[in-house]
Amino acid sequence: MRMRYVHIGWALVLVCLLAATGSWVYNVYKANAAKCDALARSTFRKVLEQEVQKRDTVSFFYASSSGYENLSLEGNIPDSVTVTSEYGKRKYAIPLEKYHNSLVKEGRKRSILSGILEDCPLSADTVNGYWNKLLSDADVQATTHVRISVTDLLEQTSATYSKDAAMPLPTDSLLSYYMGFICEVEATGFISYHWINLVYGWYLYVCFLSFCAFVTIYCFRNKIVNRIKNSFREKEMASSRITMIEDTNLYPVYQLDVDVFFDTKREILKCNDKVATLTPQSACLLRAFLESPDRRLSISEIYTLLWPDGSGTKDRVHSAIYRLRQALKEVSCLTIDNGSICFQLKK
């Protein structure tokens, strides 16, 4: 039954270790993913801005009857815009989300950008390749895909994807930017990470070392426990300071503690003014403890010592130990520890 509880205890330790490690790795993954997402958004916008700048040399005729106007990137948020084309004059609503994520917000510049992108449309492969390069330069290992969607004046949408883009796209984050007078060009970036790329470096080493430490402790648990016990036992024996301070052959005097002495001739324990007189049997037993290795005596050794005629019993042994323990308690902090097959004198 005891071994069963021991195995259950080790299993609980392993489960707790795995749960703590898993939770820690997950938090590291989420934190690093958030940093990579922020970098991915900024680099994706940078790619689109540079792609638009490449088209600065494209000539585009723009007619206006409103005279001179001050142009700015930021303007009033329009609910809708009116476009006159071969399909006639028509009003188009601009969703607030599209306007906020528009690459250019000023109305005339958006109109000019519509014409430029109609003549020189964006390439999904080009945008994706440059975006992936910027992420690699920033040491972000990820899988990226780009979708370019165009909505015409009849509100029909067509889309092109970067090469090797699978549908549906597995993504951890999604970011979109809009271009054109009616925000008709949508560039969407998809990005996904493998967890091993976000949980790297010393994080993995710590997890690996924790697992190795658990396996080592489990495999050598008996030796470790015994070593700890022996270490404490040695400290206890060293702290007891039991020494022989007077050797008169037959009747030595032992110092059991700082002010505690055992006079074998007078069969007394003395601590300053306190004196405990021992019975001959208790005095004989205490001296045997002091002269034995590690201050230990087995039950059979006590039988031979106190009852050489073979009349000893376990009850008589326990009675003798009890009397000696009570005498030690009167003048010192020493006691006799019960074991399964032996007894030990200790603090």
Side-chain angles (χ1 to χ4, degrees):
M1 182 64 70
R2 181 176 179 274
M3 290 302 297
R4 178 184 176 185
Y5 287 128
V6 169
H7 289 308
I8 292 175
W10 280 105
L12 290 176
V13 171
L14 177 60
V15 170
C16 293
L17 178 62
L18 292 177
T21 303
S23 176
W24 180 56
V25 170
Y26 177 76
N27 290 331
V28 171
Y29 170 83
K30 295 298 289 185
N32 288 341
K35 294 178 182 178
C36 291
D37 282 349
L39 181 62
R41 291 178 184 276
S42 63
T43 53
F44 189 64
R45 182 183 180 92
K46 180 179 180 181
V47 170
L48 294 176
E49 289 174 344
Q50 294 194 6
E51 285 297 309
V52 170
Q53 289 176 3
K54 290 179 183 178
R55 291 158 173 78
D56 280 348
T57 57
V58 177
S59 298
F60 178 73
F61 179 75
Y62 180 80
S64 174
S65 60
S66 59
Y68 294 101
E69 296 181 13
N70 292 325
L71 301 180
S72 63
L73 291 179
E74 300 293 337
N76 296 326
I77 299 176
D79 295 329
S80 62
V81 295
T82 302
V83 176
T84 302
S85 66
E86 65 269 24
Y87 303 110
K89 191 174 184 180
R90 188 171 179 179
K91 182 178 289 187
Y92 296 90
I94 300 180
L96 190 60
E97 178 186 357
K98 286 188 176 183
Y99 184 80
H100 280 312
N101 289 285
S102 178
L103 204 64
V104 175
K105 290 185 170 60
E106 197 278 325
R108 182 177 297 181
K109 290 185 177 181
R110 295 203 324 271
S111 180
I112 293 173
L113 192 55
S114 288
I116 293 175
L117 293 179
E118 184 178 358
D119 292 340
C120 300
L122 294 174
S123 168
D125 285 329
T126 301
V127 173
N128 185 59
Y130 187 38
W131 185 31
N132 197 34
K133 180 180 181 302
L134 290 181
L135 291 176
S136 297
D137 293 342
D139 200 24
V140 175
Q141 302 299 322
T143 301
T144 60
H145 300 292
V146 171
R147 180 185 67 201
I148 304 295
S149 302
V150 180
T151 303
D152 59 21
L153 296 175
L154 296 178
E155 299 190 47
Q156 300 295 320
T157 302
S158 60
T160 59
Y161 295 86
S162 57
K163 186 170 60 177
D164 298 331
M167 293 296 292
L169 294 171
T171 62
D172 289 331
S173 61
L174 173 65
L175 38 146
S176 298
Y177 291 101
Y178 299 87
M179 292 155 282
F181 188 49
I182 59 174
C183 297
E184 70 275 12
V185 180
E186 176 187 5
T188 304
F190 299 86
I191 185 168
S192 60
Y193 314 97
H194 193 281
W195 72 272
I196 197 70
N197 293 327
L198 295 180
V199 185
Y200 55 87
W202 61 274
Y203 301 112
L204 289 180
Y205 286 115
V206 170
C207 295
F208 176 74
L209 291 177
S210 298
F211 180 76
C212 291
F214 174 81
V215 172
T216 302
I217 293 174
Y218 180 77
C219 292
F220 298 97
R221 60 189 184 280
N222 292 332
K223 291 185 178 179
I224 294 174
V225 170
N226 290 334
R227 184 64 180 270
I228 293 174
K229 287 183 177 179
N230 291 335
S231 176
F232 278 111
R233 186 179 299 141
E234 290 173 359
K235 289 181 179 179
E236 289 174 353
M237 295 308 301
S239 64
S240 64
R241 300 180 59 187
I242 299 175
T243 57
M244 184 187 299
I245 62 173
E246 182 179 345
D247 187 2
T248 58
N249 295 326
L250 295 177
Y251 303 107
V253 175
Y254 292 91
Q255 182 178 6
L256 307 185
D257 210 337
V258 178
D259 296 317
V260 181
F261 300 90
F262 172 42
D263 188 337
T264 58
K265 182 177 181 180
R266 299 166 59 189
E267 296 181 346
I268 61 171
L269 286 169
K270 185 176 181 180
C271 177
N272 297 326
D273 296 333
K274 295 181 180 180
V275 177
T277 303
L278 302 178
T279 64
Q281 186 184 73
S282 295
C284 178
L285 184 58
L286 178 56
R287 181 170 179 177
F289 272 116
L290 297 176
E291 294 176 353
S292 65
D294 295 335
R295 312 293 187 258
R296 292 172 180 268
L297 288 177
S298 65
I299 294 178
S300 60
E301 289 174 330
I302 296 176
Y303 282 163
T304 304
L305 175 68
L306 301 182
W307 302 281
D309 58 357
S311 62
T313 63
K314 284 189 177 181
D315 289 340
R316 299 183 74 178
V317 169
H318 285 290
S319 296
I321 293 295
Y322 175 77
R323 286 192 293 271
L324 178 56
R325 187 183 287 129
Q326 291 300 110
L328 291 169
K329 185 178 179 181
E330 292 182 18
V331 296
S332 72
C333 59
L334 294 173
T335 187
I336 298 176
D337 191 23
N338 288 6
S340 57
I341 60 173
C342 65
F343 298 91
Q344 183 185 19
L345 177 68
K346 58 185 291 188
K347 278 194 174 182

